[in-house]
Amino acid sequence: MKAKLGVGALVVLFLAGLWLVASPFAVGYQPRGEEYLDATVNDLWVGGGIAALSFVALVIYAADALRDLAHRGKHADS
């Protein structure tokens, strides 16, 4: 149960980071073709960082889960 909650939280963080990256353009406070506003730069850095860290955590979790499954399968054959 705790694992599902943790993975769910990481997925929500990943999606929130993606939204922060996309929001200046989706909401429209970044004018087209103009130099990036400070708020846009902030959203890109913070959102990109959150998305990247949560994605790395999800990959590490998935690798650990696969390692556990492989370990269990190895011992089940014995």
Side-chain angles (χ1 to χ4, degrees):
M1 179 66 177
K2 286 183 183 180
K4 288 182 183 179
L5 189 61
V7 170
L10 287 173
V11 168
V12 168
L13 277 173
F14 179 71
L15 293 174
L18 290 182
W19 171 248
L20 276 175
V21 170
S23 65
F25 312 103
V27 174
Y29 66 80
Q30 172 58 48
R32 247 188 189 178
E34 293 188 22
E35 187 175 330
Y36 281 174
L37 301 172
D38 289 340
T40 301
V41 173
N42 184 56
D43 282 352
L44 292 174
W45 278 106
V46 172
I50 290 171
L53 286 174
S54 59
F55 181 76
V56 168
L58 282 168
V59 168
I60 290 170
Y61 175 80
D64 189 49
L66 286 173
R67 183 181 53 87
D68 285 348
L69 284 173
H71 184 70
R72 287 181 196 166
K74 206 182 256 189
H75 287 291
D77 291 338
S78 300

